[in-house]
Amino acid sequence: MSINTTECGLYLEAQKEEIFAQWEELANEKLKAASNAPDLIVRNYLPYFLANLVSELKAFEMDSGSDIEKINNIDFDAKYSDEHGRSRASVARYTVAQVIQEYSLLRQVLRSHLYDNNLLCLTTAEIIDRFIETSCAQAAQQFANSLDEVQEKLISVIAHDLRNPISVARSYVEIGELGLSSSDKVFGSLKRSLERALKLIGELLDTTQLEAGRGMTFRFEQKDMVKELGVATNEAQEVYDNPVRFDTDLKTANVVCDHMSILRVVENLISNGIKYGRVESPITLSLKQTDNEVHISVHNEGSYIEPEQQNSMFEFLSRHTGGRDQRQEGWGLGLYLVRLVAKAHKGKAWIESDRDSGTTFCISIKNEAHPPGSAFSEYT
């Protein structure tokens, strides 16, 4: 019996849901890291892949010329593979070899379906192979590019975070030189700022944060957030010309948390609020507490963010351009890390933005997400 590509295309189109389900089951079985993904990203893009494949198979018989000529003229559209590779780079312990294996499994499922129903012909097999190879190459390249981008971004984050305590230390050196404060206060502030810088350096050296998909390590202890955020506000005011205000009605706010990660979030949001807000406009750091949670927010005037952008800004490797300098991108500390910190504390992160009043970045964390003295790693 002679089989043509149109028959193959019509069969694959009719069986697409079964093909999707079988591929997903096989990927979960063969690829251990796939279970770490919130969803199988390829599953979201399979309809585009299969639609393009089916379209070419159905149109193939109508074109003139030899089979090889017609195959060479096919436009193997792999635009969806960029997002696949990029998304996989954010999954814990995923490798480029596993990305390639995903496509290998997809080819296996497509061929098996056609073969088991006596529909697989050499021409169809070649077209499937070309589609798979093109998509796989595109996804693998984007995966590698994303890893490079992650490393560059996290190095930038660490450098940015170090600037705050070092700047505070320098300010107190100048205050000490001018005799504007007591030596006890100067040396105390210097010690605190340099200890924070050393902890950030230690975090970089002692963890594997520069590898995409690997976690941040959190260490939980009881801290008074009123005291911690008060210190953060005072240190920020030493560095920036903008007024930095701390707004809270609380006398104390005892929370079991990783206070270093919370302070990193706050310091970065203050810094970026100044960068993207109106010139010399005030920055307001607010703290509230309920029976179960602590709410921390940083507000700046200006820098309106459209509602459709707000959620995407927390995504892995997101980018934002705004504020008074349109050439500046991002919010310093990638907001996906802000959400990661909130998640590690069993909370959430979100944005509230208004054209008139400005933008507020908010996080909520549980009063005791984990027992004091505990430590664990959270994954992006």
Side-chain angles (χ1 to χ4, degrees):
M1 179 179 68
S2 177
I3 300 171
N4 62 44
T5 59
T6 301
E7 292 177 86
C8 297
L10 290 171
Y11 174 82
L12 294 177
E13 187 174 38
Q15 299 297 317
K16 61 183 179 181
E17 289 303 324
E18 185 177 340
I19 290 170
F20 295 160
Q22 186 177 343
W23 177 86
E24 192 167 19
E25 181 180 357
L26 195 59
N28 277 314
E29 176 187 343
K30 300 290 186 181
L31 302 175
K32 184 178 180 180
S35 61
N36 293 320
D39 59 5
L40 284 166
I41 302 299
V42 165
R43 182 73 157 87
N44 298 336
Y45 295 93
L46 274 179
Y48 300 103
F49 175 92
L50 198 56
N52 288 334
L53 174 61
V54 167
S55 177
E56 292 297 339
L57 288 173
K58 289 162 68 175
F60 188 82
E61 300 294 338
M62 295 184 287
D63 295 334
S64 59
S66 69
D67 283 358
I68 293 298
E69 289 176 341
K70 290 190 289 184
I71 289 173
N72 289 336
N73 288 330
I74 291 177
D75 179 16
F76 297 100
D77 186 359
K79 60 184 178 183
Y80 45 81
S81 299
D82 279 349
E83 186 61 31
H84 167 222
R86 187 180 183 85
S87 299
R88 279 299 187 238
S90 70
V91 179
R93 292 176 292 278
Y94 232 83
T95 66
V96 70
Q98 290 175 303
V99 173
I100 294 170
Q101 190 176 0
E102 286 188 54
Y103 282 99
S104 177
L105 294 173
L106 178 57
R107 171 165 47 195
Q108 177 183 325
V109 170
L110 291 170
R111 283 182 161 215
S112 295
H113 265 267
L114 293 171
Y115 180 81
D116 291 345
N117 289 275
N118 298 315
L119 288 173
L120 184 63
C121 63
L122 290 176
T123 302
T124 296
E126 179 65 19
I127 293 173
I128 290 173
D129 287 351
R130 296 281 187 99
F131 264 101
I132 291 289
E133 288 164 4
T134 303
S135 299
C136 181
Q138 192 89 354
Q141 182 61 57
Q142 187 59 49
F143 183 93
N145 291 345
S146 294
L147 293 184
D148 290 341
E149 191 175 349
V150 168
Q151 291 184 353
E152 290 175 4
K153 183 173 183 177
L154 287 178
I155 288 171
S156 175
V157 165
I158 295 296
H160 184 277
D161 288 355
L162 284 173
R163 186 180 66 184
N164 287 332
I166 291 174
S167 296
V168 171
R170 185 182 66 180
S171 296
Y172 274 100
V173 168
E174 294 172 353
I175 289 171
E177 288 176 340
L178 295 172
L180 299 177
S181 186
S182 67
S183 59
D184 287 345
K185 182 176 181 180
V186 169
F187 286 124
S189 297
L190 279 172
K191 182 179 179 183
R192 185 169 58 250
S193 296
L194 293 175
E195 282 179 346
R196 183 170 301 169
L198 287 172
K199 285 182 180 179
L200 289 172
I201 293 170
E203 180 180 313
L204 175 61
L205 295 174
D206 296 339
T207 66
T208 56
Q209 292 186 61
L210 293 185
E211 296 182 32
R214 301 294 293 273
M216 288 179 66
T217 299
F218 296 89
R219 296 173 176 83
F220 289 81
E221 55 185 324
Q222 183 166 298
K223 290 289 180 178
D224 178 3
M225 281 292 103
V226 172
K227 180 179 178 181
E228 296 292 328
L229 299 190
V231 170
T233 303
N234 292 335
E235 292 186 349
Q237 192 62 79
E238 295 287 344
V239 177
Y240 303 110
D241 294 330
N242 299 59
V244 182
R245 303 168 179 166
F246 182 33
D247 180 23
T248 185
D249 295 328
L250 302 171
K251 299 297 183 182
T252 59
N254 292 320
V255 179
V256 177
C257 64
D258 182 318
H259 73 288
M260 283 299 297
S261 67
I262 299 297
L263 290 178
R264 286 185 67 188
V265 168
V266 170
E267 289 171 356
N268 274 272
L269 292 182
I270 289 175
S271 171
N272 285 291
I274 290 170
K275 182 190 297 184
Y276 291 94
R278 296 195 182 102
V279 177
E280 297 184 356
S281 63
I283 301 296
T284 303
L285 170 62
S286 299
L287 174 66
K288 298 179 180 178
Q289 188 174 37
T290 67
D291 291 340
N292 299 314
E293 293 182 330
V294 161
H295 297 264
I296 301 170
S297 64
V298 176
H299 175 80
N300 69 287
E301 297 178 3
S303 188
Y304 174 69
I305 302 172
E306 298 286 349
E308 59 271 17
Q309 286 186 311
Q310 293 177 16
N311 239 6
S312 64
M313 287 180 66
F314 288 100
E315 293 176 0
F316 188 66
L317 299 178
S318 65
R319 285 289 184 266
H320 171 68
T321 300
R324 57 180 181 266
D325 186 348
Q326 293 296 322
R327 294 169 299 176
Q328 300 181 44
E329 294 187 346
W331 285 86
L333 175 64
L335 287 178
Y336 76 98
L337 287 179
V338 174
R339 178 167 282 178
L340 185 68
V341 170
K343 179 183 175 185
H345 291 79
K346 298 184 180 179
K348 61 180 181 178
W350 70 98
I351 299 171
E352 297 172 356
S353 192
D354 181 84
R355 291 188 186 279
D356 297 323
S357 61
T359 296
T360 306
F361 287 88
C362 312
I363 65 168
S364 64
I365 62 173
K366 294 295 184 184
N367 288 330
E368 187 173 338
H370 301 277
S374 62
F376 77 102
S377 292
E378 184 67 73
Y379 296 99
T380 55

